[in-house]
Amino acid sequence: MAISLLTTALLGGLAIFVLGLSRRTRIPKGLRLPPGPKPKPIIGNLLDLPKDHEWLMHAKWAKQYGELVYVNVLGTHMAWVNSREMAHELFERRSSNYSDRTTTTMLDDLLDLTGWLAPFQPYTIWCRRHRKTMHSSFHPKATEAYHPITYGIEVEAENDLYLMNAHKVLHAVDEAATPGNFLVDILPWMKYIPVWMPGAEFQRKAVKWRQYAADMLELPFREAKRRMGEGTPEACFVLSRLSEIGADATSCLDDEVIIKNTAASLFAGGTDTTVNTVRAFILAMVLYPDVQKKAQREIDALLGFQRLPDVGDMDALPYVMAVCKETLRWHALLPVGVAHMASEDDIINGYFIPKGTIMFGNSWTLLRDEADFGPNTDRFNPERYFIPGVRDPGNTGAFGFGRRICVGRYMAMKSVFLAIASILQVFEISKARDASDKEIPVEAEFTSGFFSFATEFKCILRPRSATAEELIIHGI
Ligand code: HEM
């Protein structure tokens, strides 16, 4: 009975939805939509969307159709921006029109994330106030003076409650933000289906995930404030921002809410991104042992095993910096970034971009462009950064684009450098061996979805010497 109710509801909704689709987008005379795979009636390009390894299909489309590719999925306009020049034109020069975000029923109505989680906020004054607050602690000068930490709470070596919870939220976001994962995003009325209804698994997931998100937003902030109240806070983002509004007679009531939201956004934005960048680096070192040796020679010459590297060593370790850049470039952690959205109709090179088009900056493809990064961009090759004119991946899509570019990028580069340089200094990374002492082969494989990180692989991290071992024990 209950299932048939759900089925009837689904079919009814689908019929209304299909009727809605039959209203076609009005394209102004003399213009056309950008090129792309041929759509089918009603469903459009639904079946053309890749199910996995999306970046390969997006790169193929870029080759076939050019710098702007358009698809229509069940009435939703989507476009992929495939060249640096086009990305600059749309996301930078026309940023007033391309800084908004699209949302899904899952992210917005069911998980309640888009009001506070910065990467998903629509581009309103509320969002700009959040970006301003984050920028004040994460711009290059601020990260020079101190290394901003969010809550000033020491992370537990194992099973850290806050980190584990943030990880769960990011996992939920990964699933919820991947287009096509939930039918409720296509048929929004399904959000009214009750949680207990058989078949309403998405509702049960949403209840669980909303709780994780609420815990991530509230718990560490409450703890940081408690420490402030007790007079034992560590210098951190929350402390400095709260002290600032405390001393400012013109501060508004919702300033504290913005600090809470931005702290959680920074925490969410900074955890899995940095960890998975380091994971890709370890994979690269297993596959490219010569790069590892060369980087270690550079660190040995500067530091030996005297002390662990710090950010002051970045300029003196150009090859290690090149390894960091190459890690960002080799496989973009967010292959099409976080989608932007066109706020109004627009025209570019005779193509019509309808209001509401979801705009993907195709970072993965941009970061493989041989015109910008030299030959053999499939290879992990830090030497390319010593060729004059080769670009910095950080300014070419690895951290996104325009007014929504990653707020934590300067801090991220420092954290990635510290992790990579320290690991290289003290560990030898190599392939693992099986019972008969044969090397276990490793492939460069990456997960599909919103975040794309190295899939599980086996390797060995061995201290490079007894002194290295000492440094590891006393360095952490
Ligand atoms: C290697 C590590 C990182 C990578 C690859 C990365 C990448 C990105 C990308 C691609 C975006 C979307 C930009 C766009 O919409 O065009 C983004 C947004 C964002 N990142 Fe990062 N990120 C990293 C580290 C961090 C860190 C360490 C923080 C915080 C300390 C952070 C905080 C944020 C925030 C708050 C946003 C949302 C900005 C907005 O929507 O206005 N990220 N990041």
Side-chain angles (χ1 to χ4, degrees):
M1 167 67 185
I3 289 180
S4 71
L5 190 72
L6 183 60
T7 314
T8 316
L10 271 174
L11 289 175
L14 202 59
I16 295 167
F17 178 67
V18 165
L19 277 176
L21 286 184
S22 55
R23 275 180 287 125
R24 302 193 58 190
T25 305
R26 217 181 252 281
I27 301 167
K29 226 169 154 210
L31 298 177
R32 58 204 164 108
L33 292 165
K38 201 168 170 344
K40 295 201 167 37
I42 298 181
I43 61 168
N45 298 100
L46 182 66
L47 304 179
D48 294 315
L49 288 187
K51 305 238 170 337
D52 51 37
H53 298 79
E54 300 90 334
W55 56 89
L56 295 179
M57 181 58 91
H58 299 154
K60 200 172 146 202
W61 283 347
K63 241 191 197 135
Q64 195 173 345
Y65 301 110
E67 55 184 347
L68 204 55
V69 172
Y70 170 86
V71 307
N72 182 319
V73 177
L74 294 161
T76 302
H77 310 285
M78 298 180 180
W80 277 258
V81 179
N82 299 319
S83 76
R84 180 165 54 78
E85 292 76 11
M86 184 60 83
H88 181 76
E89 177 61 34
L90 299 181
F91 297 131
E92 306 282 346
R93 295 197 51 208
R94 304 188 191 191
S95 59
S96 57
N97 195 43
Y98 291 98
S99 299
D100 209 352
R101 296 286 195 214
T102 177
T103 187
T104 64
T105 311
M106 195 68 179
L107 286 173
D108 191 10
D109 301 83
L110 296 181
L111 299 189
D112 200 17
L113 292 179
T114 56
W116 67 267
L117 192 58
F120 296 106
Q121 285 174 333
Y123 196 60
T124 54
I125 292 176
W126 184 240
C127 165
R128 290 198 282 276
R129 282 179 66 194
H130 282 70
R131 274 197 72 101
K132 198 169 161 215
T133 303
M134 293 187 282
H135 186 71
S136 57
S137 286
F138 287 84
H139 64 80
K141 267 269 166 279
T143 58
E144 221 170 71
Y146 72 116
H147 313 311
I149 40 175
T150 309
Y151 295 103
I153 302 172
E154 189 91 3
V155 174
E156 302 287 337
E158 269 179 59
N159 300 333
D160 183 86
L161 212 76
Y162 301 123
L163 269 183
M164 276 171 32
N165 195 50
H167 186 70
K168 284 186 203 160
V169 175
L170 289 169
H171 175 79
V173 164
D174 192 15
E175 238 186 274
T178 304
N181 265 0
F182 292 99
L183 196 55
V184 66
D185 291 335
I186 298 171
L187 305 173
W189 56 267
M190 283 178 66
K191 68 185 175 198
Y192 300 113
I193 292 177
V195 179
W196 50 262
M197 186 95 127
E201 186 52 34
F202 72 97
Q203 286 285 29
R204 290 184 276 282
K205 274 191 172 174
V207 169
K208 196 169 61 179
W209 290 350
R210 196 166 49 225
Q211 186 58 49
Y212 296 154
D215 286 351
M216 185 177 87
L217 178 64
E218 299 294 340
L219 299 184
F221 186 72
R222 208 176 291 160
E223 175 60 15
K225 275 190 75 176
R226 190 189 64 77
R227 292 180 186 202
M228 270 183 83
E230 283 180 355
T232 55
E234 287 264 332
C236 64
F237 171 78
V238 169
L239 174 67
S240 63
R241 296 282 77 88
L242 283 177
S243 314
E244 207 172 82
I245 61 166
D248 179 1
T250 63
S251 70
C252 327
L253 275 177
D254 53 13
D255 281 344
E256 185 171 321
V257 176
I258 291 181
I259 295 169
K260 181 172 75 177
N261 293 349
T262 47
S265 299
L266 291 165
F267 193 49
T271 33
D272 275 22
T273 45
T274 312
V275 169
N276 282 311
T277 303
V278 175
R279 184 180 171 115
F281 151 77
I282 293 176
L283 173 64
M285 293 306 98
V286 173
L287 295 172
Y288 297 89
D290 291 349
V291 170
Q292 180 181 184
K293 288 212 169 66
K294 188 160 178 185
Q296 284 169 335
R297 280 200 296 274
E298 188 181 65
I299 297 172
D300 292 350
L302 184 74
L303 300 172
F305 293 112
Q306 299 291 314
R307 60 167 173 85
L308 286 170
D310 64 41
V311 287
D313 299 319
M314 286 168 96
D315 289 344
L317 295 171
Y319 191 78
V320 176
M321 278 307 291
V323 172
C324 298
K325 289 182 188 168
E326 188 66 345
T327 306
L328 283 183
R329 186 202 66 80
W330 187 45
H331 183 91
L333 183 62
L334 290 105
V336 287
V338 181
H340 293 216
M341 190 179 79
S343 322
E344 296 297 334
D345 288 349
D346 194 18
I347 298 166
I348 176 92
N349 299 346
Y351 294 126
F352 177 61
I353 310 221
K355 171 180 175 167
T357 302
I358 301 172
M359 307 292 298
F360 297 102
N362 189 349
S363 306
W364 193 88
T365 298
L366 261 56
L367 293 167
R368 299 249 161 165
D369 188 341
E370 298 197 345
D372 282 340
F373 294 101
N376 302 324
T377 47
D378 282 349
R379 280 188 66 78
F380 187 97
N381 177 19
E383 310 284 343
R384 66 179 79 251
Y385 300 100
F386 298 95
I387 304 170
V390 162
R391 288 187 62 87
D392 182 339
N395 303 331
T396 320
F399 289 117
F401 306 92
R403 293 189 197 175
R404 300 307 291 259
I405 197 164
C406 176
V407 206
R409 61 198 184 282
Y410 303 110
M411 160 87 169
M413 273 323 276
K414 286 181 177 171
S415 311
V416 165
F417 167 81
L418 281 179
I420 286 181
S422 309
I423 293 171
L424 283 168
Q425 183 190 31
V426 295
F427 288 111
E428 196 69 56
I429 305 168
S430 59
K431 287 196 177 121
R433 291 179 175 272
D434 64 16
S436 53
D437 204 31
K438 261 182 52 200
E439 276 185 351
I440 301 174
V442 172
E443 297 284 336
E445 268 290 332
F446 295 87
T447 60
S448 306
F450 179 64
F451 290 111
S452 179
F453 45 87
T455 53
E456 222 169 277
F457 60 95
K458 287 203 157 58
C459 70
I460 298 174
L461 268 82
R462 192 177 287 119
R464 290 178 64 208
S465 65
T467 351
E469 212 165 326
E470 283 284 301
L471 204 54
I472 297 166
I473 293 163
H474 295 112
I476 47 177

